[in-house]
Amino acid sequence: MTNPLLSERPLAEFSAILPEQVEPAIEARLTQCRAVIAAVTDHPESATWDNFIEPIEAADEALNRSWSPVSHLNAVMNSEALREAYNACLPKLSEYGTDVGQNPQLLHGYQQVAKTPGLDAAQRKMLEHGIRDFHLSGVDLDAEQKARFRAMNQRMTRLTSQYEENLLDATNAWFKHIQQADQLKGLPDSALALARQQARERDLDGWVLTLDIPSYLPVMMYAEDGELRRELYTAYCTRASDQGPQAGRWDNGPLMEEILALRHERAQLLGFANFAELSLAPKMARSTTEVMDFLNDLAEHSVSRARAELEELRAFAKSDHDQDQLEPWDLAYYSEKLRQHRYDISQEELRPYFPITRVLPGLFEIARRLFDIQIREATAPGLWHPDVRFYEILDSAGTRCAQFYLDPYARQKKRGGAWMDVYANRYWTHGHQQIPVAYLVCNFSPPIDDQPALLTHQEVQTLFHEFGHGLQHMLTRINYPAVAGINQVPWDAVELPSQFMENWCWERESLHLIAGHVETGAPLPDELFERMRAARNFQSAMQMVRQLEFALFDFRLHLEYDPKAGARIDSILDQVREQVAVMKPPAFNRFAHGFAHIFAGGYAAGYYSYKWAEVLSADAFSLFEERGIFDTATGRAFREQILEPGGAADAMDLFIAFRGREPTTEALLRHSGIQVDVQEC
C-alpha cells in the first residue's frame, strides 16, 4: 500500500505556491514527521528495515518534497514575501534536523537494523552512512553540549541564508544606464541587444548594464572603454562588502567572521581539531595533509607556466596596443585580444553556431548514444516562469524513469550561477514507486527579440556540466532515497559526472550534433573547429592557478582558524595569492564577500573538490579517448559503475571498477596542456 505521506500529487504546481501558506504547510509536515519518529522509536530494540527504516525514509522524502519547491522558488523567483516565509521556516527545519540527529533511540534503532542478516549492499551502506551522521550530528554530546550544538545550527542556518540574500540584493541593486553609444564601443551585437532589452525592461532608453554574468562578462572582454571596465569590475568585486559603490549596505564581512567561528566551534565540540578535518569525514580525501599536498602539487606544476602566460599577455598589450600597465579589469579584455590575435577566434564568433534549439536536442542525442535513454519534452503543472521547460527520460524499454525542469536564462530576482538540485528522489518500496526529479538551473544570455538564445561555447559547457549532475541523480538504480542519486556521494567525487560530460563539447563527432548555424543550420566549419581546439588551452595555467587560489583559500580558512586571532580572511587570502596568483587584485577587492560556494553553499572546506573530481573525470574520459567517444560498452560501463550506484558504494571502488585502476593526474594535466610525469592522485 502506498505510504500516505507520499500519496500527494508528485509534482508541485509552482505557480500555486503562496508565501502565506508556506509556513503552515511546513509546520504540518514537520508534525507528521515527528509523529513518525515517535512511533518508530517506541521500541527501537525490535527495529527492522520494514518497521523502522522505511517509515523514516518516507517521512524524510515527504518533507523534502514539501520544502524543495519553496527553497527552489526562493532561489529562482525571489520576492520579499517568499523570502520572509522561507526564513520563517529555516529555524523550524534546523530544529527538527538537530532533534533527529541527536536522538539516541533513533541511533539505537539504526544499529539494531544494521545487525539484520540478509540486507543488500545498498541497505548496509545507507545504515553505515546514517550511523556515522548521527555521531557527526552530536548524538554523543552531553545535554549542555547538545543545547549549544542546537543553538549553533540555528544561528548558522540564518547566517548562511543572510549571506546569500545580501549577495543577491547587492547584485540586483546595481546597474549602469548608458545613453551614449560610444561608451559601448567594442561590445558585440549580442551584448548590445541584451543591454537594450534590459533598458526596455526598466522603461529606460539607451542601454543598461548589470552585474549578471551575461551582461558583465562581455563588458570585461570587449568594451574598449577602460574606465567602463574599471567601473563594472569595482562594482562586481565589492558586492555585499564594505567597499565599492554600495559600501556597507549589504556587508557580508561580519557574517563571514561568525560563520567561520561557529564552524570551528562545532568541529571541536565533535572532537575534531578544525572544520577542515570535520568536512573530510564523509569525503574521499583521507586527511587534511592529503588535500594540501594535492593542491600544492598542482600549484607546483602550474604557477611558473601561469606567470609566463601573464608575461606573454603584458608583452602583447604593450607591443600591439601600447598598453604600458595591465590592471585586473584589463586582463579579460587583452586576453580576448590575444586569443583572437593568436587563434583568430572568439566566443562571439562561435555563438551563432550554438542556438539553444540545436544544443539541447544534440545534448539529448549524446545522452541517448552514451546511456541508452530517450529524452522528450513533457507537460508539468504550474511552471514558475515562461522560460522553464520540463522533460522526461525514458529507458531502453520506453519506461519513464526520471524527469527534470530546465530554467536556462538569467533574470532579475534569480540567484546567479548554475546548479542542479533535487526535487524528488528515486524511492521504490512496498506499494510505492517514485522516480527522481531534478532542477537544472543556469544563467545564460536570454533570447533577444524573435531569435533563439545563442550560447557561447562556455555556456554550452555549463549546460553539459549541470546535465551531468542531473544524470547521476536521475539514472540511479538505488531504491532508497538516502543513498540514491547524488545523496551520500562524497563531495569530492560529486563533480565527476558533471566535469566528465563537458568533454563532449570539444569532440568533432559530438559537435556535429550540438552545433549548427542559427540561420542556415550549417555545421561548424572544420577550420573554425580547428581554431577552437587550438585555443582550448589558451591561458590554461592561469585558469588552473585561479581555481587553486579559491581552493587553497577555502581550505586554509577552515584548517588554520584560530579563535584568538579570528578568521584572518584577508591575511590568508594574501598568503595564498602570494603563492599562486599571477596578479594581485587592488586593495578594495572583496572576493570573499561573494564567495557563496563556501559561505552559503555546500563547498566549505571542499572547494578543492572541483580539482579533485577533475582528476577523476579527465581520467575517466581518457578511456573513451582510447575506445571512441560513443563506444557503447564504455558508455554502459560508466552508467552502471558511476551513475547508477549513487552513494550506495565507495566512490574509489566505483572508479576502479570503471577504469581498472586508481586515478592519476596525467589526463588532467594533459587536457590542460601542462605535460608532466604521471603523478598519483
Side-chain angles (χ1 to χ4, degrees):
M1 181 178 295
T2 300
N3 190 298
L5 287 176
L6 294 170
S7 61
E8 299 100 331
R9 186 183 182 96
L11 293 176
E13 291 196 39
F14 288 88
S15 60
I17 295 176
L18 302 176
E20 62 269 20
Q21 296 176 354
V22 167
E23 189 175 2
I26 296 301
E27 287 179 338
R29 181 64 79 195
L30 288 171
T31 298
Q32 292 175 322
C33 291
R34 291 185 186 279
V36 170
I37 299 297
V40 300
T41 55
D42 192 34
H43 299 289
E45 67 281 352
S46 59
T48 67
W49 185 271
D50 289 347
N51 71 19
F52 192 88
I53 300 299
E54 280 202 3
I56 295 172
E57 280 282 272
D60 285 347
E61 185 60 18
L63 178 59
N64 173 73
R65 272 190 9 198
S66 295
W67 178 242
S68 173
V70 177
S71 177
H72 177 70
L73 279 182
N74 189 60
V76 298
M77 293 290 287
N78 191 268
S79 69
E80 288 301 321
L82 183 59
R83 180 182 292 187
E84 183 178 345
Y86 174 84
N87 284 324
C89 293
L90 287 180
K92 303 176 191 296
L93 291 162
S94 175
E95 181 179 19
Y96 172 73
T98 303
D99 287 344
V100 170
Q102 295 186 346
N103 188 323
Q105 292 176 303
L106 278 176
L107 171 60
H108 181 55
Y110 268 71
Q111 292 168 330
Q112 286 296 110
V113 177
K115 300 174 185 177
T116 305
L119 297 175
D120 63 38
Q123 289 172 315
R124 293 197 176 281
K125 181 58 70 173
M126 175 181 157
L127 293 168
E128 175 189 321
H129 288 322
I131 291 169
R132 177 202 66 200
D133 291 345
F134 277 112
H135 295 300
L136 295 180
S137 297
V139 71
D140 305 309
L141 302 177
D142 61 33
E144 183 178 348
Q145 291 171 324
K146 283 183 176 179
R148 177 57 185 157
F149 195 94
R150 178 188 303 274
M152 286 192 292
N153 281 352
Q154 292 273 8
R155 181 62 178 160
M156 182 70 73
T157 298
R158 181 63 196 127
L159 289 170
T160 54
S161 177
Q162 184 65 55
Y163 180 101
E164 194 160 62
E165 289 173 4
N166 286 349
L167 186 57
L168 178 63
D169 289 345
T171 302
N172 285 334
W174 191 94
F175 70 91
K176 183 172 180 62
H177 181 209
I178 292 179
Q179 294 176 288
Q180 300 298 322
D182 58 353
Q183 287 185 265
L184 300 175
K185 189 176 180 182
L187 261 65
D189 290 342
S190 60
L192 292 171
L194 177 60
R196 282 194 297 269
Q197 182 167 288
Q198 289 172 333
R200 289 196 301 268
E201 290 172 356
R202 292 169 170 81
D203 295 323
L204 297 171
D205 57 0
W207 302 265
V208 162
L209 304 175
T210 74
L211 298 182
D212 291 323
I213 289 298
S215 178
Y216 173 78
L217 196 56
V219 174
M220 303 311 295
M221 293 175 67
Y222 300 108
E224 296 181 12
D225 186 340
E227 179 58 27
L228 180 65
R229 298 197 306 269
R230 185 202 62 77
E231 184 177 356
L232 264 75
Y233 172 89
T234 302
Y236 187 85
C237 74
T238 59
R239 292 173 300 159
S241 79
D242 60 335
Q243 298 290 314
Q246 301 167 339
R249 189 173 178 189
W250 294 286
D251 187 5
N252 274 334
L255 276 62
M256 293 152 56
E257 290 282 346
E258 190 173 356
I259 287 169
L260 291 168
L262 288 172
R263 285 175 179 164
H264 184 78
E265 183 181 354
R266 180 168 62 184
Q268 294 208 313
L269 201 58
L270 293 173
F272 296 89
N274 49 67
F275 185 80
E277 283 190 5
L278 170 59
S279 81
L280 295 185
K283 292 187 172 85
M284 285 182 73
R286 291 159 290 193
S287 69
T288 58
T289 300
E290 184 177 21
V291 173
M292 288 298 296
D293 287 348
F294 168 74
L295 295 174
N296 286 328
D297 180 63
L298 287 178
E300 183 179 343
H301 292 308
S302 307
V303 169
S304 60
R305 169 75 178 273
R307 289 174 178 158
E309 289 175 351
L310 179 62
E311 288 309 310
E312 291 174 358
L313 182 63
R314 283 189 170 126
F316 168 78
K318 173 62 176 174
S319 63
D320 286 46
H321 297 276
D322 200 27
Q323 181 75 13
D324 291 325
Q325 183 173 343
L326 287 183
E327 300 290 352
W329 48 88
D330 298 325
L331 283 182
Y333 177 74
Y334 287 106
S335 291
E336 187 61 19
K337 292 289 187 186
L338 178 56
R339 186 201 307 269
Q340 293 181 31
H341 173 78
R342 185 174 292 173
Y343 303 105
D344 189 26
I345 195 168
S346 71
Q347 288 289 326
E348 289 304 310
E349 184 180 5
L350 292 169
R351 193 190 287 271
Y353 288 94
F354 294 107
I356 198 166
T357 49
R358 177 66 175 258
V359 173
L360 271 178
L363 169 59
F364 298 162
E365 173 61 16
I366 289 170
R368 184 193 69 79
R369 296 188 186 188
L370 288 174
F371 307 122
D372 196 18
I373 57 176
Q374 297 281 349
I375 301 174
R376 66 187 184 192
E377 191 164 3
T379 300
L383 298 174
W384 58 91
H385 191 274
D387 289 339
V388 178
R389 295 292 179 266
F390 184 70
Y391 298 90
E392 59 186 15
I393 298 180
L394 310 179
D395 63 20
S396 57
T399 302
R400 185 176 64 192
C401 61
Q403 297 168 316
F404 64 94
Y405 298 89
L406 175 64
D407 186 349
Y409 308 124
R411 60 176 175 268
Q412 286 284 298
K413 305 299 183 181
K414 181 181 179 182
R415 195 179 88 203
W419 67 92
M420 189 284 293
D421 206 353
V422 173
Y423 172 62
N425 292 288
R426 178 181 167 97
Y427 188 20
W428 287 42
T429 184
H430 305 303
H432 183 77
Q433 294 185 351
Q434 175 177 288
I435 61 174
V437 184
Y439 310 108
L440 303 184
V441 184
C442 301
N443 273 278
F444 299 149
S445 305
I448 304 297
D449 300 325
D450 296 327
Q451 193 174 59
L454 303 180
L455 307 185
T456 66
H457 189 246
Q458 291 173 340
E459 289 177 329
V460 174
Q461 292 175 75
T462 298
L463 177 63
F464 273 65
H465 181 104
E466 300 308 331
F467 188 72
H469 281 308
L471 286 174
Q472 186 166 37
H473 172 64
M474 294 185 288
L475 297 188
T476 185
R477 301 292 294 175
I478 304 302
N479 294 330
Y480 319 114
V483 287
I486 63 170
N487 296 322
Q488 291 292 354
V489 174
W491 203 258
D492 43 8
V494 79
E495 296 293 336
L496 164 56
S498 55
Q499 294 175 332
F500 168 81
M501 285 301 300
E502 291 183 41
N503 289 286
W504 274 265
C505 300
W506 291 98
E507 299 296 323
R508 193 62 174 121
E509 194 175 351
S510 48
L511 279 164
H512 276 307
L513 300 174
I514 63 174
H517 196 278
V518 63
E519 294 177 356
T520 66
L524 192 71
D526 288 341
E527 56 87 20
L528 184 55
F529 168 72
E530 293 300 331
R531 285 185 279 137
M532 185 182 86
R533 285 277 294 191
R536 180 178 184 178
N537 289 325
F538 176 67
Q539 295 184 343
S540 60
M542 287 175 64
Q543 296 169 24
M544 173 78 80
V545 298
R546 182 69 169 146
Q547 287 296 304
L548 292 174
E549 178 184 323
F550 298 165
L552 284 163
F553 170 62
D554 162 49
F555 207 74
R556 286 188 56 188
L557 267 185
H558 295 94
L559 177 66
E560 301 173 17
Y561 184 86
D562 181 354
K564 295 179 181 178
R568 297 180 298 127
I569 293 171
D570 292 339
S571 63
I572 289 177
L573 186 53
D574 285 343
Q575 291 169 24
V576 169
R577 284 172 171 164
E578 187 66 28
Q579 177 188 358
V580 298
V582 294
M583 177 180 283
K584 189 171 182 179
F588 62 75
N589 183 290
R590 290 294 183 269
F591 155 73
H593 291 67
F595 198 4
H597 275 75
I598 72 167
F599 288 109
Y603 286 86
Y607 197 87
Y608 78 90
S609 301
Y610 279 105
K611 281 302 169 192
W612 186 279
E614 198 174 346
V615 169
L616 304 177
S617 66
D619 204 351
F621 182 70
S622 68
L623 191 58
F624 285 86
E625 291 179 307
E626 295 169 12
R627 299 177 178 177
I629 67 164
F630 287 120
D631 182 72
T632 303
T634 310
R636 181 172 60 250
F638 189 86
R639 175 175 174 169
E640 293 175 351
Q641 294 161 355
I642 302 295
L643 299 177
E644 291 182 354
D650 289 331
M652 183 60 78
D653 291 343
L654 293 175
F655 183 89
I656 292 172
F658 172 71
R659 197 64 182 89
R661 55 166 173 74
E662 291 195 1
T664 74
T665 61
E666 186 274 333
L668 169 62
L669 293 168
R670 174 169 51 83
H671 288 172
S672 300
I674 304 172
Q675 298 285 355
V676 296
D677 293 335
V678 173
Q679 300 288 326
E680 291 300 319
C681 172

